[in-house]
């Protein structure tokens, strides 16, 4: 949980209330790597949540660290079909798309493309894998993109959950 507030006294009171109900560890750091996956950068302009290291690791593991970056995460000329093209290694495809799904939580710019690719997890084809590589090439252009919360008088974060 990240607590942001201008009033230090109010933060302290909230921590006390939380510690009565939950086991709480207070980690006041300017920059923190959570499980080597989510990077939190705190500066004068606000807070940035990113997964730069995770993205770079993914590019390195797929051999795409030296690739030419793409301008968009999904090419409009791609015409994907469930049965068209040669089948590809399903486990590799599922692993890549699964890692991209995890990455898309902090990268809304790839969320749509990743959701399209996740439709083909059961029977991936060469065109689907090419589209996944397009997403990876796009990420190469800015691996540190993430969610930025500007510093202002008030921080309003709303969350929605649609579950059955």
């Amino acid at each position: 949980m990240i607590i942001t507030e201008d009033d230090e006294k109010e933060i302290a009171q909230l921590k006390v209330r939380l510690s009565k109900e939950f086991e709480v560890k207070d980690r006041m750091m300017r920059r923190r790597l959570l499980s080597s996956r989510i990077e939190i950068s705190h500066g004068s302009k606000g807070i940035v949540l990113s997964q730069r290291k995770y993205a770079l690791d993914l590019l390195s593991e797929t051999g795409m660290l030296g690739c030419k970056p793409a301008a968009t995460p999904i090419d409009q000329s791609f015409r994907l079909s469930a049965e068209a093209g040669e089948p590809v290694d399903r486990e590799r495809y599922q692993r890549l798309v699964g890692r991209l799904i995890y990455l898309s939580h902090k990268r809304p710019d790839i969320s749509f493309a990743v959701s399209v690719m996740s439709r083909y997890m059961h029977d991936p084809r060469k065109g689907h894998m090419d589209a996944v590589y397009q997403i990876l090439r796009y990420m190469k252009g800015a691996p540190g993109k993430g969610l930025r919360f500007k510093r202002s008088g008030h921080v309003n974060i709303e969350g929605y959950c649609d579950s059955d």
Side-chain angles (χ1 to χ4, degrees):
M1 175 184 293
I2 301 170
I3 302 171
T4 60
E5 176 63 54
D6 291 337
D7 187 348
E8 293 294 327
K9 185 178 176 183
E10 191 171 327
I11 290 176
Q13 290 172 348
L14 176 61
K15 288 179 186 178
V16 169
R17 287 194 308 264
L18 287 172
S19 67
K20 288 179 183 176
E21 297 292 326
F22 307 100
E23 183 178 330
V24 177
K25 292 182 182 179
D26 189 6
R27 300 177 189 230
M28 294 294 294
M29 301 183 92
R30 288 273 184 218
R31 189 176 173 118
R32 174 94 178 129
L33 214 60
L34 302 175
S35 304
S36 301
R37 297 189 182 208
I38 300 173
E39 188 173 331
I40 302 171
S41 300
H42 182 271
S44 61
K45 293 185 178 183
I47 297 172
V48 176
L49 303 178
S50 70
Q51 293 174 297
R52 183 178 188 278
K53 183 183 180 321
Y54 188 79
L56 290 172
D57 288 347
L58 180 56
L59 290 169
S60 178
E61 288 174 22
T62 56
M64 298 195 66
L65 202 52
C67 73
K68 182 180 175 185
T72 61
I74 192 165
D75 190 347
Q76 290 182 352
S77 66
F78 276 141
R79 295 292 176 238
L80 298 172
S81 171
E83 292 90 25
E86 293 294 316
V88 295
D89 181 355
R90 182 171 48 172
E91 286 182 29
R92 177 171 166 74
Y93 183 85
Q94 289 174 344
R95 186 173 191 288
L96 281 174
V97 173
R99 293 189 69 187
L100 288 171
I101 289 170
Y102 178 77
L103 192 59
S104 69
H105 297 302
K106 303 297 175 292
R107 296 278 307 247
D109 55 330
I110 66 169
S111 293
F112 174 74
V114 172
S115 72
V116 171
M117 295 303 94
S118 70
R119 296 176 193 164
Y120 303 103
M121 297 270 272
H122 64 284
D123 186 24
R125 303 297 175 132
K126 184 181 179 321
H128 307 139
M129 188 63 92
D130 291 342
V132 168
Y133 286 134
Q134 170 79 15
I135 297 169
L136 292 171
R137 283 192 300 277
Y138 172 75
M139 285 179 13
K140 171 65 166 68
K145 272 190 176 180
L147 299 175
R148 180 171 172 237
F149 300 97
K150 292 181 187 178
R151 179 177 220 113
S152 66
H154 301 288
V155 176
N156 294 323
I157 300 175
E158 292 185 37
Y160 299 94
C161 179
D162 181 14
S163 63
D164 295 340

